[in-house]
Amino acid sequence: DKLPKFDVIIIDEGQDFKPEWFEFLEGLLKDQERSSFFVFLDERQDIFHHWNGIPLDIKPFRTPLRKNCRNTRAIVEFLNREAGSDMRPFERSPVGTRVVERFVKNQTDEQTQIVRDIKDLIENNDVKPGSIVILANKPKAESCLSQTKTIGKHNLVSVGKDYEENSRNVQYATINVFKGLEADVVFMIDTDTLSEDQMSTALYVQGSRARNLLYVYRSLTEKEAAIAEKILAEIRRRLGFLRDVG
């Protein structure tokens, strides 16, 4: 009885709430008939597996909110196509740069490409290291970056409790840590063990963390890697032939 009562209760990230949390908060409404209870949620972002509906006595009124105010149009279009989402970009959202997809043969190849891409952004494109976040789909010890301590002149550090956008370091995290946050540039890595459905969910949840630029690293199958190697060998052969002719 000593707990305060409210005319309006608003919950964000409702998909992360457990049923008993909703029930407790419902009891804090002043009037079950006149008070308002708003829940904003995205069922596809239920990475903690808490979502089981809203167990309230109040009959909910649902309305979809599809307008995306965070990502560039290029990222929204990519996520709609690759992750099966149905978002609409905000009218004044910038077009942005296309999403960069890298297809890698193994962890060594992935680490090499990640380091190269990040160095290029910092050294040649005036991107601040603190604006880059690497989202790994494995623990650091199992990641392709497990042995990577620095990238260029910058340390590679864990986001920890807080994401520091003005940091002089490049930061990495898992989506469990980075949930609800965003960065200018996001690198999505270590996807080789994800199933097709898991990859779709990962793209939707992790890719939407990127405000301006998204890099996605995918693993080639053995067959795809063999085909890619043959193509590269043919390109090298033809380039060598052209040099000889020249």
Side-chain angles (χ1 to χ4, degrees), residues 155-192:
N155 292 328
L156 179 61
V157 301
S158 171
V159 167
K161 292 183 179 180
D162 299 297
Y163 165 49
E164 299 180 21
E165 198 161 359
N166 295 319
S167 174
R168 295 183 179 180
N169 302 314
V170 176
Q171 298 165 85
Y172 71 87
T174 63
I175 189 58
N176 285 13
V177 172
F178 207 67
K179 182 77 165 58
L181 301 176
E182 58 190 59
D184 283 346
V185 184
V186 168
F187 280 65
M188 182 177 160
I189 72 168
D190 295 324
T191 65
D192 56 303

Coordinates of all heavy atoms in Angstrom, one line a residue, residues 155-192:
N155 N 43.9 0.3 -29.4 CA 43.6 -0.9 -28.7 C 42.2 -1.5 -29.0 O 41.3 -0.7 -29.3 CB 43.7 -0.7 -27.2 CG 45.1 -0.4 -26.8 OD1 46.1 -0.9 -27.3 ND2 45.3 0.5 -25.7
L156 N 42.1 -2.8 -29.0 CA 40.8 -3.4 -29.1 C 40.3 -3.8 -27.7 O 40.9 -4.6 -27.1 CB 40.9 -4.7 -30.0 CG 39.6 -5.5 -30.2 CD1 38.5 -4.6 -30.9 CD2 39.9 -6.7 -31.0
V157 N 39.2 -3.2 -27.3 CA 38.8 -3.4 -25.9 C 37.3 -3.7 -25.8 O 36.5 -3.4 -26.7 CB 39.0 -2.1 -25.0 CG1 40.5 -1.7 -25.0 CG2 38.2 -0.9 -25.5
S158 N 36.9 -4.4 -24.7 CA 35.5 -4.7 -24.5 C 34.7 -3.5 -24.2 O 35.2 -2.6 -23.5 CB 35.4 -5.8 -23.4 OG 34.1 -6.0 -23.0
V159 N 33.5 -3.5 -24.6 CA 32.6 -2.4 -24.3 C 32.4 -2.3 -22.8 O 32.3 -1.2 -22.2 CB 31.2 -2.5 -25.0 CG1 30.2 -1.6 -24.4 CG2 31.4 -2.3 -26.5
G160 N 32.3 -3.4 -22.1 CA 32.1 -3.4 -20.7 C 30.7 -2.9 -20.3 O 29.8 -3.2 -20.9
K161 N 30.7 -2.1 -19.2 CA 29.4 -1.7 -18.7 C 28.8 -0.5 -19.6 O 27.6 -0.4 -19.7 CB 29.5 -1.2 -17.3 CG 29.8 -2.3 -16.3 CD 29.8 -1.7 -14.9 CE 30.1 -2.8 -13.8 NZ 30.2 -2.3 -12.5
D162 N 29.7 0.3 -20.2 CA 29.3 1.4 -20.9 C 30.0 1.5 -22.3 O 31.2 1.3 -22.3 CB 29.5 2.7 -20.1 CG 28.8 2.7 -18.8 OD1 27.5 2.7 -18.8 OD2 29.4 2.8 -17.7
Y163 N 29.2 1.9 -23.3 CA 29.8 2.2 -24.6 C 30.3 3.6 -24.6 O 29.6 4.6 -24.4 CB 28.8 1.9 -25.7 CG 29.2 2.5 -27.0 CD1 30.4 2.3 -27.6 CD2 28.3 3.3 -27.8 CE1 30.8 2.8 -28.8 CE2 28.6 3.8 -29.0 CZ 29.9 3.6 -29.5 OH 30.2 4.1 -30.7
E164 N 31.6 3.8 -24.9 CA 32.2 5.2 -24.9 C 32.4 5.6 -26.4 O 33.4 5.2 -27.0 CB 33.5 5.2 -24.2 CG 33.4 4.8 -22.7 CD 34.7 4.8 -22.0 OE1 35.7 5.5 -22.5 OE2 34.8 4.2 -20.9
E165 N 31.5 6.4 -26.9 CA 31.6 6.8 -28.3 C 32.8 7.7 -28.6 O 33.2 7.8 -29.7 CB 30.3 7.6 -28.6 CG 30.0 7.7 -30.1 CD 28.6 8.0 -30.4 OE1 27.7 8.1 -29.5 OE2 28.3 8.1 -31.6
N166 N 33.3 8.4 -27.5 CA 34.5 9.2 -27.8 C 35.8 8.5 -27.4 O 36.8 9.2 -27.3 CB 34.3 10.5 -26.9 CG 33.2 11.4 -27.4 OD1 32.9 11.5 -28.5 ND2 32.4 11.9 -26.4
S167 N 35.7 7.2 -27.3 CA 36.9 6.5 -26.9 C 38.0 6.5 -28.0 O 37.7 6.7 -29.2 CB 36.6 5.0 -26.6 OG 37.7 4.2 -26.4
R168 N 39.2 6.4 -27.6 CA 40.3 6.3 -28.6 C 40.6 4.9 -29.0 O 41.5 4.6 -29.8 CB 41.6 6.9 -28.1 CG 41.5 8.4 -27.8 CD 42.8 9.0 -27.3 NE 42.7 10.4 -27.1 CZ 43.8 11.2 -26.6 NH1 44.9 10.6 -26.3 NH2 43.6 12.5 -26.4
N169 N 39.8 4.0 -28.5 CA 39.9 2.5 -28.7 C 38.8 2.1 -29.7 O 37.7 2.7 -29.7 CB 39.9 1.7 -27.4 CG 40.9 2.1 -26.5 OD1 42.1 2.3 -26.8 ND2 40.5 2.3 -25.2
V170 N 39.1 0.9 -30.3 CA 38.0 0.2 -31.1 C 37.4 -0.7 -30.1 O 38.1 -1.5 -29.3 CB 38.6 -0.6 -32.3 CG1 37.5 -1.4 -32.9 CG2 39.2 0.4 -33.3
Q171 N 36.0 -0.8 -30.0 CA 35.4 -1.6 -29.0 C 34.6 -2.7 -29.6 O 34.1 -2.7 -30.7 CB 34.4 -0.7 -28.2 CG 35.1 0.5 -27.5 CD 34.1 1.6 -27.0 OE1 33.5 1.5 -26.0 NE2 34.0 2.6 -27.9
Y172 N 34.5 -3.8 -28.8 CA 33.8 -5.0 -29.2 C 32.9 -5.5 -28.1 O 33.1 -5.1 -26.9 CB 34.7 -6.1 -29.6 CG 35.5 -6.8 -28.5 CD1 34.9 -7.8 -27.8 CD2 36.7 -6.3 -28.1 CE1 35.5 -8.4 -26.7 CE2 37.4 -6.9 -27.0 CZ 36.8 -8.0 -26.3 OH 37.4 -8.5 -25.2
A173 N 31.8 -6.2 -28.5 CA 30.9 -6.7 -27.5 C 30.1 -7.8 -28.2 O 30.2 -8.0 -29.4 CB 29.9 -5.6 -27.1
T174 N 29.2 -8.5 -27.4 CA 28.2 -9.4 -27.9 C 26.9 -8.6 -27.9 O 26.8 -7.6 -27.2 CB 28.1 -10.7 -27.1 OG1 27.6 -10.3 -25.8 CG2 29.4 -11.4 -27.0
I175 N 25.9 -9.0 -28.6 CA 24.7 -8.3 -28.7 C 24.0 -8.3 -27.3 O 23.2 -7.4 -27.0 CB 23.7 -8.9 -29.7 CG1 22.5 -8.0 -29.9 CG2 23.3 -10.3 -29.4 CD1 22.8 -6.6 -30.4
N176 N 24.2 -9.3 -26.5 CA 23.7 -9.3 -25.1 C 24.1 -8.1 -24.3 O 23.3 -7.6 -23.5 CB 24.1 -10.6 -24.4 CG 23.3 -11.8 -24.9 OD1 22.7 -11.8 -25.9 ND2 23.4 -12.9 -24.2
V177 N 25.3 -7.7 -24.5 CA 25.8 -6.5 -23.9 C 25.4 -5.2 -24.5 O 25.1 -4.2 -23.9 CB 27.4 -6.6 -23.8 CG1 28.0 -5.3 -23.2 CG2 27.9 -7.7 -23.0
F178 N 25.3 -5.2 -25.9 CA 25.1 -4.0 -26.6 C 23.6 -3.8 -26.9 O 23.2 -2.9 -27.6 CB 25.9 -4.1 -28.0 CG 26.2 -2.7 -28.5 CD1 27.1 -1.9 -27.9 CD2 25.7 -2.3 -29.7 CE1 27.5 -0.7 -28.4 CE2 26.0 -1.0 -30.2 CZ 26.9 -0.2 -29.5
K179 N 22.8 -4.6 -26.4 CA 21.3 -4.6 -26.6 C 20.8 -3.2 -26.2 O 21.1 -2.7 -25.2 CB 20.6 -5.6 -25.8 CG 19.1 -5.7 -25.9 CD 18.7 -6.3 -27.2 CE 17.2 -6.7 -27.2 NZ 16.3 -5.6 -27.1
G180 N 20.0 -2.6 -27.2 CA 19.4 -1.3 -26.9 C 20.4 -0.1 -27.2 O 19.9 1.1 -27.1
L181 N 21.6 -0.4 -27.6 CA 22.6 0.7 -27.9 C 22.7 0.8 -29.4 O 22.2 0.0 -30.2 CB 23.9 0.4 -27.2 CG 23.9 0.2 -25.7 CD1 25.2 -0.2 -25.2 CD2 23.4 1.5 -25.0
E182 N 23.5 1.8 -29.8 CA 23.7 2.0 -31.2 C 25.1 2.7 -31.4 O 25.6 3.3 -30.5 CB 22.6 2.8 -31.8 CG 22.5 4.2 -31.2 CD 21.2 4.9 -31.6 OE1 20.1 4.4 -31.4 OE2 21.4 6.1 -32.2
A183 N 25.6 2.5 -32.6 CA 26.9 3.1 -33.0 C 26.9 3.6 -34.4 O 26.1 3.1 -35.2 CB 28.1 2.1 -32.8
D184 N 27.8 4.5 -34.8 CA 27.8 5.0 -36.2 C 28.1 3.8 -37.1 O 27.6 3.7 -38.2 CB 28.8 6.1 -36.3 CG 28.3 7.4 -35.8 OD1 27.1 7.5 -35.6 OD2 29.1 8.3 -35.6
V185 N 29.1 3.0 -36.7 CA 29.6 1.9 -37.6 C 29.6 0.6 -36.8 O 30.1 0.5 -35.6 CB 31.0 2.2 -38.0 CG1 31.5 1.1 -39.0 CG2 31.2 3.5 -38.7
V186 N 29.0 -0.4 -37.3 CA 28.9 -1.7 -36.7 C 29.5 -2.8 -37.6 O 29.2 -2.9 -38.8 CB 27.4 -2.1 -36.3 CG1 27.3 -3.6 -35.9 CG2 26.9 -1.2 -35.2
F187 N 30.4 -3.6 -37.0 CA 30.9 -4.8 -37.7 C 30.3 -6.0 -37.1 O 30.4 -6.3 -35.9 CB 32.4 -4.9 -37.5 CG 33.2 -4.0 -38.4 CD1 33.1 -2.6 -38.3 CD2 34.1 -4.5 -39.3 CE1 33.8 -1.8 -39.1 CE2 34.8 -3.7 -40.2 CZ 34.7 -2.3 -40.1
M188 N 29.6 -6.8 -37.9 CA 28.9 -8.1 -37.4 C 29.8 -9.2 -37.9 O 30.0 -9.5 -39.0 CB 27.6 -8.1 -38.0 CG 26.7 -9.3 -37.6 SD 25.1 -9.2 -38.4 CE 24.6 -11.0 -38.2
I189 N 30.4 -10.0 -36.9 CA 31.4 -11.0 -37.2 C 31.1 -12.3 -36.5 O 30.1 -12.4 -35.7 CB 32.8 -10.5 -36.7 CG1 32.9 -10.5 -35.2 CG2 33.1 -9.1 -37.3 CD1 34.3 -10.3 -34.7
D190 N 31.9 -13.3 -36.8 CA 31.8 -14.7 -36.2 C 30.4 -15.3 -36.4 O 29.8 -15.8 -35.5 CB 32.1 -14.6 -34.7 CG 33.5 -14.2 -34.4 OD1 34.4 -14.6 -35.1 OD2 33.7 -13.5 -33.4
T191 N 30.0 -15.3 -37.7 CA 28.6 -15.8 -38.0 C 28.7 -17.2 -38.5 O 27.6 -17.8 -38.9 CB 27.9 -14.9 -39.0 OG1 28.7 -15.0 -40.3 CG2 27.9 -13.5 -38.5
D192 N 29.8 -17.9 -38.5 CA 30.0 -19.1 -39.2 C 29.2 -20.3 -38.6 O 28.9 -21.3 -39.3 CB 31.5 -19.5 -39.3 CG 32.1 -19.6 -37.9 OD1 32.1 -18.5 -37.3 OD2 32.7 -20.6 -37.6

